[in-house]
Amino acid sequence: MKIKTKKLIVISSFLMIIILGLVFVLLLDEEDKKVKEQNSTTKVIEETYEVSPEEANESDNTTISEEAKEDTSQSDKPVYKINLSMSKTNEWESDGKFYAQFDIKINNKTSDKITNWKVSFPVSDSVEMDNIWNGTDKVSNEVMVISSAEYNQEISAKSELKDVGFIMYSTNKDELNELSEKAVLLIDDKEYKELDNDNKETSGDKTSQASDVSEEKNDNETTDNETTEQTTNKSQASKAESNGKTPFENHGKLSVNGTDIVDKDGNKFQLKGISTHGIAWFPDYVNKDAFKTFRDDWGANLIRLAMYTDENMGYCAGGDKEKIKSLVCNGVDYATELGMYVIVDWHILHDTDPNIHIDESKIFFEEMTKKYSDHDNVIYEICNEPNGSTTWDDVKKYANEIIPIIRKNCPNAIIIVGTPTWSQDVDIASNSPIEGYDNIMYAIHFYAATHTDNIRSKVDEAHKNGLPVFVSEFSICDASGNGAIDYDQAEKWFDLINKYNLSYAAWNISNKDETSSIIVPACTKKSDWTVDELSDTGKWIREQIKN
């Protein structure tokens, strides 16, 4: 019995050894397979990256290491020697249509000037152009091509074109959102693709840096008078002038002497104030308390009433004429009661040439000047911004028909005449001014981030030629009314304004979500704004007027 037991123990031990051996072999085989699979995966990743990082990221069966992920994140978009930036700067909805505003910048980093540039992008039949500035547009075979105007065909070496913009609309919002991504730069009608291997900075980067600088500047501004600034106009003096009288009580009927506005006593005088946005779109800001806020808290002596003519529901584009005229009349009455000066602005823009609606203009100014013939505080601006192909001769033709109507009822009222290229060409007007009338002034408009030395030089030329210039609209952002604030250029403009004693009206009284609006979008108050309820633009302009 003992012998049998020993044999069983030996056999069991032997079988156990065999089983353990088999298990060991199986484990080695499994480990070998894992190693081979890892090597295979690594090879797939390496081979994929040899094709492109994008294809590697699309692999569903491969786990990419953190190092590999860092490699893909460092894959930059191509940077060209001439960079195009087409960015959407604003959007809104009106009457079931979606509108989007775009700005074009072309940064020429080469040592040669560019003379034949275009920007193209595909559009469907549902996308249409509403307005364009400093450029021309043409659609062919569902491709929109933006080309230069006559005056900005050339982009100098090492410089940037940044004053071209447009507004498009569609019933499909997504199509508008995709336009920027599809835009390409054409040089000599060919897509430009020459890479810049030395400089990785794009014009977009510069815009971002400029915004950062502006924000830093705002953050670092002194707050010594912060407590006082927070008070509303109700705690301010009841009248703008230091002697307790209104601006009109102090200065009375104004006239033009040489290049200056002078008051009733013949002393040089400067009008300084604010322009409404389109009164048909933002009617609630035409109120006496709002104007009083500007007079008493800001120190303004001028309100400009912007009455659009051809834009959506404008005076000549389906708007309620009687309702719009009542807004103008209310505005004039409020300003008069407050002893302020007021501009009645025939605000052409989309209509480009004031002659398009000249018959309606004649009726309007006949009615307004007859109604306010005894108001010495009213100024008439007869054509806001002639543009497109409109020439100075076209504007003069229009002015020579409208001015006699105004003069019949208001023989001595100051009249402001717009100039071509969105009221920039005062130099051209100075070489051939309107003759036969006194108290005629000429409009210059600027947006500081777009219009710089080249437009200031036009003002210098006009002033040298003896032309009386009025800054009837301006802001400190770009020409779209949006974008970053350029404080440096704004300061240079105000140096020029003060040098020549130019009168001015800043754009605009609204809480629209754009840089040029002086009230923050979240504020629904229509008067008595605190400083915190003003936009950065509003704060800066308020300080200029107060000082």
Side-chain angles (χ1 to χ4, degrees):
M1 190 71 178
K2 290 182 179 178
I3 295 173
K4 289 183 179 181
T5 299
K6 288 182 178 179
K7 286 182 178 180
L8 286 172
I9 291 172
V10 170
I11 292 170
S12 298
S13 300
F14 182 76
L15 288 173
M16 183 61 71
I17 292 170
I18 292 173
I19 290 170
L20 290 172
L22 289 172
V23 171
F24 182 74
V25 170
L26 289 172
L27 289 172
L28 287 175
D29 185 63
E30 186 68 18
E31 186 67 19
D32 184 60
K33 286 181 179 179
K34 289 183 179 179
V35 172
K36 288 181 178 179
E37 286 176 359
Q38 288 177 347
N39 290 339
S40 174
T41 301
T42 303
K43 184 176 181 181
V44 169
I45 293 174
E46 292 173 351
E47 290 176 351
T48 304
Y49 270 91
E50 287 176 3
V51 178
S52 73
E54 290 79 5
E55 291 175 352
N57 286 334
E58 291 172 1
S59 174
D60 294 330
N61 300 318
T62 303
T63 302
I64 303 177
S65 67
E66 289 301 314
E67 182 178 357
K69 289 181 181 177
E70 291 176 2
D71 288 342
T72 60
S73 68
Q74 293 171 0
S75 177
D76 293 333
K77 292 176 67 176
V79 178
Y80 302 117
K81 291 185 177 180
I82 305 174
N83 278 323
L84 166 68
S85 168
M86 190 177 102
S87 56
K88 184 174 70 173
T89 58
N90 200 6
E91 61 182 0
W92 63 95
E93 183 179 359
S94 178
D95 294 334
K97 296 178 182 178
F98 297 97
Y99 290 76
Q101 179 173 308
F102 297 87
D103 289 345
I104 291 175
K105 295 181 181 180
I106 302 175
N107 186 12
N108 178 18
K109 295 182 285 184
T110 72
S111 300
D112 299 315
K113 65 181 180 181
I114 305 168
T115 56
N116 187 15
W117 64 266
K118 296 177 182 177
V119 176
S120 75
F121 48 90
V123 292
S124 69
D125 292 337
S126 67
V127 180
E128 295 189 42
M129 181 68 74
D130 179 66
N131 191 18
I132 185 170
W133 51 92
N134 296 335
T136 59
D137 63 286
K138 182 178 181 181
V139 178
S140 178
N141 298 323
E142 295 190 340
V143 175
M144 172 65 71
V145 177
I146 306 295
S147 304
S148 67
E150 291 183 4
Y151 50 85
N152 61 359
Q153 292 175 343
E154 181 178 303
I155 305 176
S156 302
K158 308 292 185 182
S159 66
E160 184 178 47
L161 174 75
K162 56 179 181 178
D163 56 354
V164 180
F166 58 91
I167 297 171
M168 301 198 80
Y169 65 88
S170 174
T171 54
N172 186 336
K173 185 177 182 180
D174 291 337
E175 288 193 78
L176 295 175
N177 292 336
E178 295 170 357
L179 296 182
S180 294
E181 300 172 1
K182 299 176 180 179
V184 296
L185 175 65
L186 306 178
I187 302 294
D188 295 328
D189 293 319
K190 295 180 181 179
E191 183 176 352
Y192 184 84
K193 288 187 175 181
E194 186 176 354
L195 289 171
D196 181 4
N197 296 320
D198 299 325
N199 188 355
K200 294 295 182 182
E201 184 182 63
T202 65
S203 60
D205 296 330
K206 291 179 180 178
T207 302
S208 175
Q209 291 170 4
S211 299
D212 292 342
V213 170
S214 297
E215 290 172 6
E216 182 179 349
K217 181 172 181 178
N218 287 337
D219 292 340
N220 292 332
E221 286 177 346
T222 179
T223 57
D224 292 343
N225 299 318
E226 185 175 350
T227 303
T228 302
E229 301 290 9
Q230 298 302 318
T231 60
T232 66
N233 74 317
K234 290 181 180 179
S235 65
Q236 304 295 319
S238 61
K239 297 181 179 181
E241 303 288 307
S242 59
N243 62 0
K245 293 183 178 181
T246 68
F248 186 76
E249 286 173 337
N250 275 331
H251 302 284
K253 185 178 181 62
L254 306 178
S255 58
V256 179
N257 182 14
T259 60
D260 292 299
I261 289 178
V262 296
D263 67 7
K264 63 181 181 180
D265 298 319
N267 299 318
K268 288 184 180 181
F269 184 62
Q270 184 182 47
L271 289 167
K272 48 184 184 176
I274 310 288
S275 174
T276 67
H277 204 300
I279 56 174
W281 307 328
F282 296 93
D284 292 344
Y285 292 101
V286 182
N287 71 79
K288 188 174 180 178
D289 287 338
F291 294 1
K292 188 173 186 293
T293 303
F294 293 122
R295 187 195 70 176
D296 295 349
D297 183 47
W298 292 46
N301 54 30
L302 173 70
I303 297 292
R304 179 182 186 241
L305 302 169
M307 190 190 77
Y308 277 83
T309 54
D310 199 57
E311 271 63 29
N312 181 37
M313 302 306 290
Y315 188 81
C316 304
D320 185 334
K321 289 186 177 180
E322 293 307 313
K323 184 177 179 180
I324 295 172
K325 279 192 294 186
S326 71
L327 285 167
V328 173
C329 293
N330 288 342
V332 172
D333 292 343
Y334 298 146
T336 302
E337 291 167 14
L338 292 165
M340 301 177 74
Y341 296 90
V342 59
I343 297 174
V344 175
D345 166 32
W346 183 261
H347 200 90
I348 75 159
L349 185 63
H350 188 266
D351 27 352
T352 70
D353 186 338
N355 292 289
I356 291 175
H357 295 302
I358 190 170
D359 291 338
E360 288 164 293
S361 176
K362 289 177 179 179
I363 295 170
F364 175 80
F365 282 111
E366 170 70 33
E367 184 175 344
M368 288 296 113
T369 55
K370 187 174 183 179
K371 182 178 179 67
Y372 295 111
S373 60
D374 61 346
H375 283 53
D376 291 336
N377 64 319
V378 182
I379 296 168
Y380 299 95
E381 185 172 5
I382 63 175
C383 52
N384 166 58
E385 289 185 352
N387 61 84
S389 60
T390 304
T391 65
W392 176 234
D393 285 341
D394 295 328
V395 176
K396 286 180 69 176
K397 176 179 178 295
Y398 166 82
N400 281 319
E401 293 193 47
I402 300 300
I403 291 174
I405 293 172
I406 297 174
R407 282 287 176 261
K408 180 176 67 174
N409 296 316
C410 301
N412 299 305
I414 291 177
I415 298 172
I416 304 170
V417 182
T419 56
T421 318
W422 293 272
S423 283
Q424 295 171 30
D425 292 342
V426 287
D427 55 333
I428 295 174
S430 72
N431 292 320
S432 179
I434 295 166
E435 297 178 344
Y437 305 98
D438 295 327
N439 296 330
I440 305 296
M441 303 192 76
Y442 300 82
I444 182 75
H445 291 180
F446 71 83
Y447 285 77
T450 298
H451 307 125
T452 57
D453 289 340
N454 61 323
I455 307 302
R456 285 192 289 270
S457 67
K458 289 174 173 284
V459 179
D460 287 327
E461 180 70 15
H463 191 269
K464 184 180 72 174
N465 291 338
L467 195 77
V469 173
F470 197 120
V471 184
S472 57
E473 182 181 312
F474 79 93
S475 191
I476 58 177
C477 54
D478 67 33
S480 70
N482 213 345
I485 292 173
D486 193 326
Y487 291 102
D488 289 339
Q489 290 297 328
E491 293 285 357
K492 290 180 180 180
W493 270 107
F494 263 76
D495 288 343
L496 188 76
I497 284 171
N498 293 324
K499 175 182 177 182
Y500 293 142
N501 189 43
L502 304 181
S503 294
Y504 60 85
W507 183 263
N508 69 78
I509 309 171
S510 81
N511 67 343
K512 185 178 178 181
D513 189 11
E514 63 180 18
T515 311
S516 60
S517 300
I518 64 168
I519 306 162
V520 296
C523 178
T524 58
K525 290 165 61 176
K526 300 303 185 289
S527 64
D528 300 327
W529 304 283
T530 66
V531 172
D532 284 343
E533 290 166 336
L534 301 178
S535 67
D536 289 341
T537 296
K539 293 171 184 174
W540 192 91
I541 290 172
R542 176 176 176 270
E543 285 305 307
Q544 300 307 309
I545 294 175
K546 284 176 70 71
N547 294 328

